[in-house]
Amino acid sequence: MPVEFLGIAATNDGSETTPRSGAAFDKDYTLRLARAHEDHGWDRVLFAYGSGSPDPAPAAAYIASRLDRLQILLAHRPNVSYPTFAAKTFATLDRISEGRLTVHFITGGNDHEQGREGDTLTKDERYARTLEYIRIVKRIWTTHEPFDHEGEHYRFHDFVSDVFPVQQPRPGVSFGGSSPAAYAAGGAEADIYCLWGEPLAKTAEQIEHVKAAAKAAGRTDVPRIQVAFRPIIAPTEELAWEKAHRTVGAIKARKEKGEAITKRHNGQARPQNTGSQRLLAIAEAGERYDRALWTPTAAASGGAGNSNALVGTPETVARALLDYYDLGVDILSARGYDLLGDAIDFGRHVIPIVREEVAKRDAEGAARGTQTLTAVNG
């Protein structure tokens, strides 16, 4: 199966290790970073969402209008706009990008962060709303006649859009989460199901949960699986591990200075969302797993988002990614701590190895299939 690589479309150069050097939306840096991904073998970039962060939709439109190949994954929280409005925004962006859009729907795992923009629903209520929201958006993308909707969270009458996506029948829908409610919602509606990097055995368990949820929802297909990591690479193993320890030291130093390295958990002792709780539990159980997975970066950042590292030479990290590919993961998400430099290095030194090995495996699989068919027919 084909493999794809997802990077980050940050709007400034800040990370957990380094405060940003300019404005929250640095137009020149945003374009430089996106262009570096396009020029170095990445397939798409994520425009993330935060309550006080620059709006990702116009930032994505800015990049889409200036680059020709790079695909866009646009993060969106249902609480910030009505689905009729959002569906038109997405369709317009798919037009601007000439069919390069996927939408990542975020339910929200932190009550405080959600409340910053007026969202007072409970977590279970948010999942029910997200499910209704996605279904409405899909219908708007594909329906050319006016329709009414009377749901638990949304009600409208006689609506039809006049802007439709380039992609037919519609753009892709991406979804993430590690709770039973997340598996149920994403299993029912997602084209892509996103996970944070965990040990291989735990990732395999999550994939089975997603497959079971899709089957329970009556689907005959299953979502594609995406897994996210923070690669830390260097020419030798020794240099890579030195870099890894420096990275954790920089994260801790910023925290000790009282600098906000992430807004996800808002100073809470333990995160509310299941995914971050899982990352912290894995870190508490051990620092190193499998071929290259390293958890102190997650522990230092409080399990905030994509925070488990893969450490080693490009060859070691590539082999680790291939281990996940062998589990059924075909979208590999990665971002470093020096966003621009690490995107270039990963694109130059890791992506080609993974793509070459995947091509070999696909060719070997096709050859085995041909041999089996010949034996059956012979």
Side-chain angles (χ1 to χ4, degrees):
M1 60 183 174
V3 64
E4 296 182 7
F5 288 91
L6 170 71
I8 190 70
T11 58
N12 60 71
D13 62 356
S15 76
E16 295 94 329
T17 60
T18 310
R20 71 179 191 233
S21 62
F25 180 48
D26 182 334
K27 188 172 71 170
D28 293 338
Y29 181 84
T30 301
L31 181 57
R32 284 176 59 207
L33 181 60
R35 183 167 284 134
H37 282 86
E38 182 170 86
D39 290 345
H40 291 88
W42 298 78
D43 295 286
R44 61 168 60 90
V45 288
L46 167 66
F47 284 83
Y49 189 92
S51 61
S53 301
D55 187 347
Y62 168 65
I63 293 303
S65 66
R66 283 159 177 77
L67 300 181
D68 298 323
R69 301 184 307 278
L70 193 66
Q71 298 175 54
I72 292 163
L73 179 60
L74 177 69
H76 180 76
R77 289 182 184 168
N79 60 291
V80 301
S81 69
Y82 218 69
T84 51
F85 176 83
K88 294 184 298 180
T89 300
F90 304 147
T92 303
L93 183 51
D94 198 55
R95 286 277 157 189
I96 293 170
S97 66
E98 298 181 332
R100 287 178 280 150
L101 176 69
T102 300
V103 183
H104 181 67
F105 291 91
I106 302 173
T107 298
N110 182 278
D111 292 343
H112 184 87
E113 169 67 5
Q114 294 300 121
R116 283 171 162 160
E117 293 187 283
D119 189 5
T120 59
L121 297 186
T122 65
K123 184 177 180 180
D124 286 345
E125 289 170 336
R126 292 198 295 267
Y127 273 111
R129 178 184 61 193
T130 300
L131 195 59
E132 183 179 347
Y133 197 97
I134 292 173
R135 288 170 174 165
I136 293 170
V137 169
K138 285 182 176 180
R139 187 172 180 186
I140 292 170
W141 280 340
T142 57
T143 301
H144 292 258
E145 298 296 331
F147 69 96
D148 300 339
H149 178 82
E150 291 282 347
E152 180 181 359
H153 298 281
Y154 303 102
R155 297 171 182 82
F156 54 85
H157 303 283
D158 199 39
F159 180 82
V160 63
S161 178
D162 194 34
V163 56
F164 292 90
V166 170
Q167 298 177 77
Q168 292 299 314
R170 57 172 177 77
V173 166
S174 172
F175 191 89
S178 297
S179 67
Y183 297 139
E189 295 296 334
D191 302 301
I192 298 169
Y193 200 98
C194 306
L195 303 170
W196 290 331
E198 296 187 2
L200 289 164
K202 290 188 176 294
T203 300
E205 291 173 1
Q206 288 196 287
I207 292 173
E208 290 306 310
H209 287 312
V210 174
K211 289 180 177 178
K215 183 177 180 180
R219 293 177 61 169
T220 57
D221 64 336
V222 295
R224 298 173 65 194
I225 302 297
Q226 173 184 302
V227 177
F229 303 96
R230 307 299 293 271
I232 300 175
I233 62 172
T236 68
E237 295 291 331
E238 181 181 9
L239 289 173
W241 284 104
E242 289 177 1
K243 183 178 178 181
H245 287 288
R246 286 199 307 273
T247 298
V248 168
I251 295 171
K252 291 180 177 179
R254 289 197 64 199
K255 289 179 69 175
E256 289 171 0
K257 293 178 181 178
E259 297 179 17
I261 63 168
T262 175
K263 298 180 180 180
R264 282 184 177 269
H265 299 151
N266 311 293
Q268 296 172 354
R270 299 287 293 188
Q272 290 181 314
N273 62 304
T274 303
S276 292
Q277 291 171 7
R278 288 174 65 99
L279 293 187
L280 291 180
I282 291 166
E284 289 166 2
E287 288 193 357
R288 294 180 67 170
Y289 293 85
D290 305 319
R291 195 185 299 269
L293 191 73
W294 196 55
T295 65
T297 46
S301 63
N306 170 22
S307 50
N308 268 341
L310 292 176
V311 181
T313 62
E315 293 77 13
T316 295
V317 171
R319 288 196 299 270
L321 291 170
L322 287 162
D323 291 337
Y324 287 90
Y325 176 82
D326 290 338
L327 289 181
V329 177
D330 66 344
I331 303 176
L332 300 168
S333 173
R335 63 184 170 98
Y337 292 91
D338 170 10
L339 299 179
L340 181 60
D342 287 346
I344 293 171
D345 287 346
F346 188 88
R348 283 176 173 168
H349 303 298
V350 178
I351 289 178
I353 297 174
V354 176
R355 290 201 192 280
E356 182 178 357
E357 287 300 317
V358 166
K360 287 180 182 178
R361 293 175 193 206
D362 287 349
E364 291 169 357
R368 286 194 300 270
T370 301
Q371 290 171 359
T372 300
L373 183 62
T374 300
V376 170
N377 294 335

